Amino acid sequence: MYADVLVELKAKGIDQTFTYKIPDEFISKVKCGIRVLVPFGKQKLEGFVLQIHQNKPEFDCKDIISLIDEEVILNDELISLGKYMSKKTLCNLILCYQSMLPKALKAKNETHIKKQYKTYVKLNLSYEDAIRKIKNEKQKQIIETLKNTKIEKKELLKISASAVQTLCKNNILTEEKEEIYRKKWDKLSLEKPNPLTEEQNKVFKEIKNHLNTFYPFLLYGVTGSGKTEVYMHLIEEVKKEKKCALILVPEISLTPQLTHMFQKRFGEDIAILHSKLSDGERYDEWRRIARGEVSIVIGARSAVFAPLKNIGIIIIDEEHSSTYKQENNPKYHTIDIAIKRSKYHKCPLVLGSATPSIENYTRAKLDIFHLLEMKTRVNKNLPKVTLVDMKEEIKEGYSLFSRQLTQKIEEKLNKNEQVILLLNRRGYTTVVTCKNCGFTQKCPHCDIPLTYHKASNTMRCHYCGYGTFKINVCPECHFRNINEFGLGTQKLEEEVEKKFKARVLRMDADTTTLKDAYEKMIQSFKNHEYDILIGTQMIAKGLNFPLVTLVGVLNIDTSLQIPDFRSSERTYQLLSQVAGRAGRFSLHGEVIFQGFNIDHYSVKYASMHDYEGFYQEEIKIRKMLQYPPYTELILLKMISKDENILKEESQKIKKYLERKKQGKILGPTPSNLYKLNDRYHYQIMIKIKNKKDLYSSLIFLKDKYKDNKKFTLEIDVSPLKVS
Ligand code: ADP
Ligand code: ZN
């Protein structure tokens, strides 16, 4: 018998299985989807068995050294899922499998994460025989304790370590190991489901009617419309049919409330996969799932590969979130994988969002996804949003806090209520903005902000390569101090403390690195240990505090300045998330957006909670400039330490693609991050009606450069971040 084994090799070009002989002693145990240790040249490597067969190879093949797993790691579905992903993302198969698995189960020799065990002790003889053999009181006590039961060794040692030792040595007692899981569960008392509102019920029934077929839904439900409750009702239905549910959320460690809600409803029938788990915990959760010990899995992106066997529904909450796209190889999109799995399991897929991605909302309009809507909040009220124009404020000498915001903050502090101040993600310092009016220099062809290239003192579009001189005087307001600006959360914290008499808490990537920091901070803010919470968009997700009556966004502009054609969409999403979160409890929740571009349609529609209005504006621009969904994008990133090689090869790639006459080729142009770790970056963007037309050319290019040590080509099919 022979096995085809896939190993990970350092050389990036080799991506194939190698055939090994299965020694007789392993024949009964070897299975497809387990890991084995094999000789490869002078090394010993771990690899996955992908096929077992009788075809004796023509050459002398070597023996498998040992089997690593008893239980299958890649079941048949996952094996074919990996092949699908490899094709779709143009990524090596081995990397696809590795990325599907927790660290403990990757085929890498350095894995040291092991199962954990508890040691029990029990009687090796009958109670009567044991009692006859004992020598002293301590031993008797131990035998009595073990009558009819087994006890953890740790406990028994407390009676007398030497007695236990003697009894074991004399074979009166015997030890037994039992596998345990690392994660400790909080015990939460179970809660009954809420009866659904009429709107929720309609959606619930529609999905329920399709429970045993592949059917993709887009659930557009405003924030607070109770999507989670609908999900939980659906999961109950799925459980009734003895099937499993897979729920994906963007960043589960930022949404502890959601996990709690599920735990309160479903108890311990849940596995949770998120980035803050230790490798050991993750390994254990994976095994609980693979063994069929849980029927619900909640997790972030990579949980889409959870080894559930009988899936009855897949739910992707906040489907628009960019975290669903993996940035490294394999550059897969979670929704593509989820569609594939839903088809395999013949179950519905529910994509939920209050701000659907433009592409998926378009698909829903075309009935590729079935559109479901929930337009009212369970508590019927959306907060009022006030827009403040900072151009006017600056004229009057107010820069960081507008007069309206200052006044509102003071008002709330006086009433002993809480305030959240959101500082939009720091802008690109390479984007040049007028400090006076917020003007940003844009590409006339691509409508994205130009980025500043210091070396040549020029402004460049990194989509199409358009270049122009940096301006020193603002063409809009003739202000002379046009420059990059960016304000950090730390600086803001100082300013707030100077200006207001308040207890201030800052939350951003720097202050929440520790394992439970995020949850602790949220809790202490909830307990009113602080008056003002300052943070980046990270906190937009956790805005669920009864005492918060004011949310201020200090600089709505920065996300508009990101040189990406999706920046309006991202701005709309962020702002409406903020606007929709405030006033979840109290009736008088207020929101202030301040900035320079308050007339921008994404800001205007977000303040009015009008997604449809935003969509109609945005889709016009997408059409005019032929961005997705009107085209598909493919981003080629070219990287080299040698600028000349980089330019030459990039040109060759462009010429090759142009000869193929497929799609519109933009670039090559320096990437936004041109020099990184001593390596230079160029990029080419391709706009094409149907990306499938280009696959053979892309495979050709990938093959051509796969062994090139001086030049790397990276391909991102349907990139989400185009900057
Ligand atoms: P979404 O995810 O759509 O933003 P949530 O699921 O968080 O909304 O629901 C908003 C709030 O309404 C939550 O506090 C939730 O407990 C409550 N809720 C949802 N559905 C119901 C219902 N049918 N009856 C009572 N309360 C509900
Ligand atoms: Zn351009």
Side-chain angles (χ1 to χ4, degrees):
M1 293 268 270
Y2 300 89
D4 292 343
V5 179
L6 186 69
V7 291
E8 182 173 344
L9 297 168
K10 288 277 173 286
K12 57 185 173 179
I14 302 174
D15 190 34
Q16 67 184 80
T17 54
F18 296 91
T19 304
Y20 290 88
K21 188 167 179 307
I22 307 170
D24 291 343
E25 58 193 297
F26 298 144
I27 283 185
S28 64
K29 290 189 195 141
V30 71
K31 285 175 254 183
C32 277
I34 66 163
R35 288 172 300 176
V36 292
L37 192 67
V38 293
F40 195 92
K42 287 195 181 108
Q43 320 167 62
K44 288 177 187 170
L45 293 177
E46 286 186 12
F48 297 105
V49 175
L50 292 191
Q51 216 170 11
I52 297 172
H53 55 82
Q54 306 273 16
N55 311 331
K56 186 177 175 359
E58 280 155 26
F59 51 88
D60 234 11
C61 72
K62 294 184 187 159
D63 281 8
I64 287 177
I65 301 169
S66 62
L67 309 187
I68 293 167
D69 305 299
E70 287 164 19
E71 295 162 279
V72 166
I73 290 177
L74 293 169
N75 62 33
D76 292 349
E77 187 204 355
L78 295 183
I79 287 182
S80 65
L81 199 58
K83 290 177 182 162
Y84 164 79
M85 182 155 68
S86 167
K87 245 198 208 143
K88 185 141 182 133
T89 62
L90 297 155
C91 174
N92 287 358
L93 186 57
I94 182 68
L95 290 182
C96 290
Y97 289 135
Q98 303 282 40
S99 77
M100 290 160 69
L101 295 166
K103 194 168 174 192
L105 296 173
K106 293 183 201 289
K108 296 222 184 213
N109 292 12
E110 64 255 33
T111 312
H112 299 298
I113 303 141
K114 296 274 173 337
K115 292 176 189 166
Q116 274 192 357
Y117 296 93
K118 257 188 188 162
T119 310
Y120 288 91
V121 177
K122 65 175 186 186
L123 291 178
N124 200 24
L125 317 166
S126 72
Y127 168 74
E128 289 75 20
D129 288 344
I131 279 289
R132 249 178 274 131
K133 295 195 171 184
I134 52 164
K135 297 270 177 2
N136 59 39
E137 207 38 48
K138 285 279 181 220
Q139 293 187 356
K140 178 158 184 240
Q141 203 184 331
I142 288 168
I143 303 298
E144 292 295 342
T145 320
L146 288 173
K147 190 179 179 180
N148 303 325
T149 182
K150 60 181 181 183
I151 305 274
E152 209 185 327
K153 189 173 182 185
K154 226 170 46 196
E155 296 303 316
L156 218 51
L157 290 177
K158 286 180 194 158
I159 302 176
S160 161
S162 65
V164 173
Q165 208 181 4
T166 316
L167 290 169
C168 283
K169 208 169 77 194
N170 297 336
N171 284 324
I172 298 170
L173 302 184
T174 173
E175 286 183 7
E176 194 178 86
K177 275 181 159 189
E178 205 169 275
E179 203 183 314
I180 52 158
Y181 297 129
R182 270 156 267 227
K183 192 168 160 49
K184 303 282 175 290
W185 286 87
D186 308 333
K187 285 271 178 242
L188 298 172
S189 47
L190 291 186
E191 281 178 6
K192 285 215 173 63
N194 288 313
L196 296 177
T197 64
E198 204 176 306
E199 208 179 29
Q200 285 174 322
N201 200 35
K202 210 172 146 226
V203 167
F204 166 72
K205 281 200 172 141
E206 181 75 34
I207 301 174
K208 190 181 154 201
N209 283 340
H210 295 88
L211 272 188
N212 291 306
T213 38
F214 167 66
Y215 213 83
F217 293 95
L218 178 68
L219 170 54
Y220 161 47
V222 298
T223 50
S225 59
K227 294 185 283 296
T228 317
E229 193 61 59
V230 174
Y231 301 155
M232 290 196 290
H233 273 75
L234 286 165
I235 292 165
E236 306 223 14
E237 292 302 313
V238 166
K239 280 187 62 165
K240 277 188 206 154
E241 306 208 357
K242 302 257 174 305
K243 290 189 178 181
C244 302
L246 177 57
I247 301 103
L248 301 169
V249 291
E251 275 167 276
I252 193 162
S253 55
L254 298 185
T255 44
Q257 306 98 314
L258 183 114
T259 335
H260 280 175
M261 269 164 90
F262 275 86
Q263 274 176 279
K264 281 188 199 157
R265 190 68 57 84
F266 300 106
E268 295 187 7
D269 193 20
I270 307 178
I272 298 170
L273 298 168
H274 64 75
S275 60
K276 297 261 162 92
L277 288 185
S278 72
D279 291 327
E281 288 170 336
R282 186 181 298 268
Y283 174 41
D284 289 352
E285 289 294 83
W286 174 274
R287 285 195 336 277
R288 287 176 72 219
I289 301 165
R291 290 169 177 174
E293 292 171 6
V294 293
S295 49
I296 302 170
V297 174
I298 307 178
R301 180 177 61 227
S302 64
V304 74
F305 302 113
L308 288 166
K309 291 199 187 82
N310 190 8
I311 302 179
I313 193 166
I314 302 182
I315 295 163
I316 301 189
D317 195 30
E318 314 271 359
E319 64 81 24
H320 61 274
S321 168
S322 57
T323 58
Y324 286 126
K325 168 95 192 205
Q326 170 141 308
E327 302 271 335
N328 304 327
N329 283 325
K331 298 179 172 128
Y332 68 88
H333 198 297
T334 308
I335 294 179
D336 293 331
I337 305 292
I339 288 176
K340 189 80 183 164
R341 291 199 80 179
S342 299
K343 283 181 179 164
Y344 181 92
H345 289 276
K346 302 191 178 56
C347 72
L349 169 67
V350 180
L351 307 175
S353 178
T355 54
S357 74
I358 295 290
E359 280 117 303
N360 285 339
Y361 196 64
T362 307
R363 285 185 190 109
K365 285 192 176 271
L366 297 172
D367 223 20
I368 298 168
F369 294 158
H370 190 69
L371 184 64
L372 300 170
E373 291 179 283
M374 299 204 298
K375 290 189 165 163
T376 48
R377 274 194 159 186
V378 177
N379 77 359
K380 307 280 185 232
N381 85 92
L382 281 163
K384 185 173 176 321
V385 182
T386 308
L387 298 177
V388 178
D389 189 349
M390 286 311 281
K391 291 195 286 286
E392 298 301 321
E393 294 298 303
I394 291 236
K395 275 188 209 147
E396 303 292 328
Y398 302 91
S399 61
L400 191 51
F401 303 96
S402 61
R403 285 166 290 181
Q404 291 95 319
L405 186 58
T406 308
Q407 189 216 328
K408 277 287 169 204
I409 292 175
E410 275 164 358
E411 181 189 315
K412 300 298 175 191
L413 291 175
N414 285 336
K415 284 202 257 176
N416 216 10
E417 294 170 349
Q418 288 177 300
V419 176
I420 291 180
L421 295 179
L422 193 97
L423 190 70
N424 217 336
R425 159 172 56 185
R426 265 191 27 219
Y428 275 55
T429 48
T430 47
V431 172
V432 170
T433 307
C434 173
K435 266 189 179 166
N436 193 39
C437 75
F439 168 83
T440 307
Q441 208 176 348
K442 286 188 173 175
C443 172
H445 312 294
C446 306
D447 196 42
I448 61 153
L450 299 174
T451 50
Y452 179 56
H453 286 254
K454 214 174 189 164
S456 53
N457 196 34
T458 53
M459 303 296 297
R460 293 198 165 273
C461 169
H462 68 256
Y463 282 12
C464 72
Y466 168 86
T468 178
F469 291 110
K470 178 172 178 280
I471 48 170
N472 295 314
V473 176
C474 175
E476 292 278 312
C477 73
H478 310 294
F479 189 69
R480 285 187 174 277
N481 196 1
I482 187 159
N483 222 326
E484 78 268 9
F485 73 90
L487 173 73
T489 34
Q490 203 172 346
K491 178 84 179 136
L492 177 65
E493 184 184 13
E494 285 169 28
E495 295 295 320
V496 173
E497 278 173 342
K498 255 192 253 164
K499 199 171 164 83
F500 303 99
K501 261 186 101 145
R503 297 163 298 168
V504 183
L505 175 68
R506 169 166 68 99
M507 282 182 72
D508 54 27
D510 298 332
T511 62
T512 53
T513 44
L514 293 177
K515 196 173 175 190
D516 300 319
Y518 181 85
E519 219 171 324
K520 281 195 188 128
M521 288 176 133
I522 290 279
Q523 202 52 48
S524 62
F525 187 64
K526 214 172 215 162
N527 296 343
H528 206 174
E529 289 163 41
Y530 297 94
D531 305 302
I532 301 181
L533 171 63
I534 291 178
T536 51
Q537 71 254 49
M538 167 197 271
I539 61 171
K541 298 193 171 70
L543 301 179
N544 252 328
F545 309 100
L547 276 178
V548 171
T549 49
L550 173 67
V551 177
V553 182
L554 283 138
N555 53 345
I556 53 157
D557 312 275
T558 39
S559 61
L560 286 171
Q561 291 157 358
I562 292 168
D564 189 315
F565 76 92
R566 286 193 182 87
S567 67
S568 306
E569 185 182 351
R570 298 261 177 270
T571 305
Y572 180 84
Q573 286 163 355
L574 175 64
L575 294 181
S576 51
Q577 187 170 35
V578 176
R581 292 271 149 182
R584 290 205 140 201
F585 295 86
S586 58
L587 288 168
H588 54 298
E590 288 179 80
V591 179
I592 293 183
F593 289 165
Q594 62 170 43
F596 293 106
N597 297 291
I598 58 164
D599 297 330
H600 193 279
Y601 63 95
S602 63
V603 178
K604 250 179 22 205
Y605 286 113
S607 75
M608 299 187 293
H609 313 283
D610 182 0
Y611 176 78
E612 186 66 35
F614 168 73
Y615 175 82
Q616 292 304 341
E617 290 278 330
E618 178 67 14
I619 200 75
K620 273 189 241 158
I621 295 172
R622 299 285 178 96
K623 184 169 189 184
M624 193 167 70
L625 294 168
Q626 290 291 299
Y627 283 127
Y630 291 96
T631 52
E632 296 189 286
L633 298 185
I634 291 158
L635 189 68
L636 305 183
K637 290 226 170 195
M638 288 123 333
I639 306 158
S640 174
K641 281 188 171 175
D642 184 324
E643 272 185 290
N644 290 326
I645 293 181
L646 182 63
K647 281 179 194 162
E648 244 167 61
E649 294 306 322
S650 300
Q651 279 305 334
K652 276 190 211 158
I653 290 174
K654 181 191 171 88
K655 294 240 163 68
Y656 169 78
L657 288 169
E658 276 176 349
R659 275 202 305 278
K660 294 275 157 187
K661 291 202 172 45
Q662 287 158 330
K664 189 167 162 63
I665 322 287
L666 299 174
T669 130
S671 297
N672 203 34
L673 283 171
Y674 177 53
K675 192 175 175 188
L676 198 68
N677 297 331
D678 280 328
R679 304 197 309 165
Y680 298 93
H681 293 69
Y682 261 52
Q683 66 183 42
I684 288 176
M685 189 155 82
I686 307 161
K687 286 181 181 171
I688 188 161
K689 280 281 171 212
N690 185 350
K691 64 191 176 201
K692 289 202 179 99
D693 296 344
L694 205 65
Y695 265 80
S696 62
S697 307
L698 295 175
I699 291 167
F700 171 82
L701 287 171
K702 186 182 167 223
D703 272 353
K704 180 173 171 202
Y705 291 108
K706 70 182 182 188
D707 293 322
N708 195 320
K709 293 203 170 51
K710 290 189 173 147
F711 177 85
T712 305
L713 172 67
E714 287 205 356
I715 302 172
D716 191 347
V717 180
S718 308
L720 263 200
K721 291 209 174 114
V722 196
S723 58

